[in-house]
Amino acid sequence: MTLFSEDDLEFNFSDAIEAVRFDDDSLHGQSTMKRVDFIAEYEDRFVFVEVKDPDNPVSANPEAFRQKLVSGNLIPDLAGKYRDSLWFRVLSGKVGKPVHYVVLLSMAALDPALLLAKQDELHRCLPLNHKDWSLPFAQACVILNLDQYKKQFGTHTVRRISAGA
């Protein structure tokens, strides 16, 4: 069973062929490249997962996070994490399947309409296709809240550690 935690969330990637904690200094050395938190390989795709958890009970300042999201300052950071992570994987020769980028934004108080608007902003920062590209930059790019993530990947795939079982 492949379990990784990120703050107060625990991810179960046991249905993946392989999963790695990609945001790990031992993997990247002194690099200043931005990184997604996890990369999971499945039969038909890679899934890059970035986690933002302002609902963590010990989160320092969830309102500051909300302001960063609303102001538009968060989206370029999320785009940079994907671009740098994909670049690292391409140069490492670890591609060959479509890539899906999933941002889990665990903030229950967030309006679903705002979530969709931010997803549109992320698509503008990360155009999925271009007329000169032979492959899509990403097969899919979504921002999901915790409930949407569980619906998409299964209820067993993520849990809040502080909630227990």
Side-chain angles (χ1 to χ4, degrees), residues 21 23-29 35:
R21 175 183 296 281
D23 190 7
D24 182 338
D25 288 343
S26 67
L27 183 64
H28 298 276
R35 314 158 190 166

Side-chain angles (χ1 to χ4, degrees), residues 110-165:
L110 197 61
D111 178 10
L114 179 60
L115 207 59
L116 282 175
K118 294 304 170 185
Q119 184 172 288
D120 289 343
E121 281 183 40
L122 185 57
H123 282 190
R124 285 190 295 275
C125 285
L126 291 173
L128 303 184
N129 295 292
H130 187 277
K131 66 178 180 60
D132 292 334
W133 299 345
S134 61
L135 299 170
F137 187 54
Q139 192 68 37
C141 177
V142 295
I143 301 177
L144 306 173
N145 63 29
L146 193 55
D147 288 340
Q148 292 168 329
Y149 187 94
K150 288 179 178 180
K151 285 179 186 170
Q152 179 79 27
F153 295 100
T155 57
H156 70 287
T157 59
V158 63
R159 72 177 186 98
R160 183 158 298 285
I161 297 168
S162 62

Side-chain angles (χ1 to χ4, degrees), residues 14-15 23 63 66 72 80-81 99 126:
S14 61
D15 57 343
D23 190 7
E63 184 53 33
R66 181 178 174 75
K81 287 179 181 238
V99 178
L126 291 173

